[in-house]
């Protein structure tokens, strides 16, 4: 399938949501793109993704949250356009074309977020669907609504013009030079408890529209948790799909991800990437820093609440499992530690070249993961301390189905540890992790 050739390794990039919410602007997008080009591109980071509400002129001005029934910038065919108040280069009908061109000139790729469906404005104004004799109100489903955002009606796939509408928006995105599209309220709609995957047919419309648009695009589906029983359908249609709801900097959410990764570990393959969500690292929640809520602005932290040990655990799990990596923090505010997490060449090699990742065992105290380097056959082993206190984690080679003697390298410490024939033991901080690469030396004499 050509779809699977677009993302042979898990996509890596930056998304504006964790730091700017619904209010990101052109300067912030391009500033993070420049940082990526200067500091991260050589490590494999390439996508710069503009998240939700980019067509809303006043997003973030009065409230950092969604404005019910907000006015959106649309063209005459009901297709969203970037609001020129926030993206000045979009003036004159240029859309995201100028921004995409600048990002491409840096050797990077550009992505956008969209909500599934058709804008309510387009429906209420009876705007025509490009290339058809029908109108947006004729393809909309009044009962297919997002429970957390009021911008859209779902598209009824059975209606004439439904495919044409999706074709028209992806033709527009292709003309702008879009390389990545995150479609929201579609992987798990949450509005239908009996059928969380109720947007299955809309996913198929989107897949067909991308295939016809003339440009390669990564298709990412949100939010989760995705339904494991529909893994076959997700693999057929998407490159990435969320296996969790929004992930933030809380240990309980990170702890829960171990079980989610175990459930999805057999669905990881080139072009098909179960997605653990963005990395809430570094400088986040900047759109909330001046907001005075019920408890005042002092309750809103703008730096990740994860400890350094937890951040290493997060990166270790995401990378051995081979989740897409989408950095959520404002890159220009990175400290040395955050940058070191994103550019560790040995951890990123495991992320790029690992295969057959599996959870070896997990308890309330610890967890062990294993994968194999497809190029040289080395074994990767990640040890996780899930306790709230420091402690040892041990794994024996027979648990890993390994025989013989191995050279051991600590990938976070960048240190060779000698030879081992029995197993590995790490003394780890609370919620900490260690990752090792094992190279076979032969059988013991």
């Amino acid at each position: 399938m050509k779809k699977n050739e677009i993302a042979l390794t898990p996509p890596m990039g930056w998304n504006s949501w964790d730091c700017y919410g619904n209010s990101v602007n052109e300067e912030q997008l391009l500033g993070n793109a420049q940082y990526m080009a200067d500091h991260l591109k050589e490590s494999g980071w390439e996508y710069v993704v503009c998240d939700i509400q980019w067509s809303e002129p006043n997003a973030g001005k009065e409230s950092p949250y969604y404005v019910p029934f907000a006015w959106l910038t649309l063209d005459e065919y009901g297709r969203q356009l970037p609001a020129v108040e926030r993206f000045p280069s979009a003036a004159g009908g240029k859309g995201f074309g100028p921004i995409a061109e600048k990002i491409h000139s840096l050797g990077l790729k550009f992505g956008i977020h969209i909500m599934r469906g058709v804008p309510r404005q387009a429906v209420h104004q009876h705007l025509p669907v490009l290339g058809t004799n029908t109108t947006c109100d004729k393809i909309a489903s009044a009962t297919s609504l997002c429970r957390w955002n009021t911008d859209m009606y779902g598209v009824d796939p059975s209606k004439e013009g439904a495919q044409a509408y999706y074709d028209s928006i992806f033709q527009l995105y292709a003309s702008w030079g879009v390389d990545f599209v995150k479609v929201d309220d579609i992987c798990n709609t949450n509005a239908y408890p009996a059928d969380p995957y109720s947007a299955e047919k809309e996913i198929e419309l989107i897949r067909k529209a991308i295939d016809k648009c003339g440009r390669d695009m990564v298709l990412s589906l949100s939010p989760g948790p995705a339904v494991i029983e529909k893994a076959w359908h997700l693999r057929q249609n998407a490159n990435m799909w969320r296996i969790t709801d929004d992930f933030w900097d809380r240990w309980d959410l990170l702890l829960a991800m171990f079980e989610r990764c175990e459930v999805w570990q057999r669905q990881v393959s080139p072009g098909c990437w179960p997605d653990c969500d963005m990395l809430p690292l570094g400088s986040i929640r900047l759109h909330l820093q001046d907001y005075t809520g019920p408890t005042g602005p002092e309750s809103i932290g703008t730096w990740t609440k994860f400890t350094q040990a937890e951040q290493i655990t997060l990166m270790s799990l995401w990378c051995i499992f081979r989740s897409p990596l989408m950095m959520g923090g404002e890159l220009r505010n990175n400290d040395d530690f955050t940058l070191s997490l994103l550019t560790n060449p040995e951890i990123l090699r495991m992320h790029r070249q690992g295969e057959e990742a599996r959870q070896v065992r997990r308890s309330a105290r610890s967890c062990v993961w294993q994968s194999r380097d497809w190029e040289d056959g080395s074994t990767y082993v990640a040890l996780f301390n899930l306790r709230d206190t420091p402690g040892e984690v041990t794994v024996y080679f027979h648990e890993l189905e390994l025989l013989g003697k191995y050279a051991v390298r600590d990938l976070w410490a960048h240190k060779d540890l000698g030879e081992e024939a029995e197993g590995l033991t790490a003394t780890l901080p609370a919620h900490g992790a260690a990752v090792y690469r094992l190279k076979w030396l032969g059988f013991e004499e």
Side-chain angles (χ1 to χ4, degrees), residues 199-231:
E200 180 174 340
K201 295 301 181 182
E202 264 192 278
I203 292 173
E204 294 174 9
L205 296 181
I206 291 167
R207 177 75 261 158
K208 291 176 183 177
I210 293 176
D211 291 343
K212 291 191 288 186
C213 79
R215 184 175 182 84
D216 290 344
M217 295 182 191
V218 170
L219 175 58
S220 170
L221 304 182
S222 287
V227 182
I228 187 63
E229 291 80 9
K230 291 294 185 177

Side-chain angles (χ1 to χ4, degrees), residues 173-188:
Y173 305 154
S175 73
W176 291 342
V178 170
D179 307 294
F180 181 109
V181 179
K182 172 185 173 182
V183 185
D184 216 336
D185 190 43
I186 198 165
C187 187
N188 186 329

Side-chain angles (χ1 to χ4, degrees), residues 16 20 23-30 50 85-88 99 332:
S16 62
Y20 292 116
S23 62
V24 69
N25 61 38
E26 182 163 341
E27 183 279 328
Q28 292 159 350
L29 277 182
L30 294 178
C50 178
E85 293 84 353
R86 294 163 54 201
F87 305 96
I99 288 178
R332 294 171 292 182

Side-chain angles (χ1 to χ4, degrees), residues 127-186:
L127 296 180
V129 175
L130 180 65
T132 73
N133 293 319
T134 193
T135 51
C136 290
D137 54 298
K138 300 292 180 57
I139 65 169
S141 172
T143 60
S144 180
L145 304 173
C146 176
R147 68 179 180 86
W148 46 268
N149 183 289
T150 58
D151 291 347
M152 315 292 277
Y153 288 113
V155 165
D156 183 341
S158 69
K159 296 296 180 63
E160 182 180 353
Q163 183 66 62
Y165 180 77
Y166 272 115
D167 289 350
S168 75
I169 65 172
F170 279 92
Q171 288 166 7
L172 181 63
Y173 305 154
S175 73
W176 291 342
V178 170
D179 307 294
F180 181 109
V181 179
K182 172 185 173 182
V183 185
D184 216 336
D185 190 43
I186 198 165

Side-chain angles (χ1 to χ4, degrees), residues 282-307:
S283 181
I284 57 179
R285 291 182 288 266
L286 296 177
H287 64 301
L288 298 176
Q289 62 185 336
D290 297 322
Y291 175 65
T292 302
T295 58
E298 68 280 355
S299 66
I300 299 169
T302 58
W303 194 261
T304 184
K305 292 184 175 70
F306 281 135
T307 66

Side-chain angles (χ1 to χ4, degrees), residues 77-149:
Y77 299 108
R79 302 178 298 181
Q80 295 178 79
L81 300 174
V84 297
E85 293 84 353
R86 294 163 54 201
F87 305 96
S89 68
K94 296 184 180 69
F96 274 126
I99 288 178
E101 184 177 359
K102 289 180 181 179
I103 289 173
H104 292 158
S105 73
L106 298 173
L108 304 173
K109 296 180 180 179
F110 176 60
I112 60 173
H113 169 290
I114 64 171
M115 296 290 293
R116 73 175 174 94
V118 56
R120 287 177 186 250
Q121 272 176 244
V123 171
H124 297 160
Q125 295 174 14
H126 306 284
L127 296 180
V129 175
L130 180 65
T132 73
N133 293 319
T134 193
T135 51
C136 290
D137 54 298
K138 300 292 180 57
I139 65 169
S141 172
T143 60
S144 180
L145 304 173
C146 176
R147 68 179 180 86
W148 46 268
N149 183 289

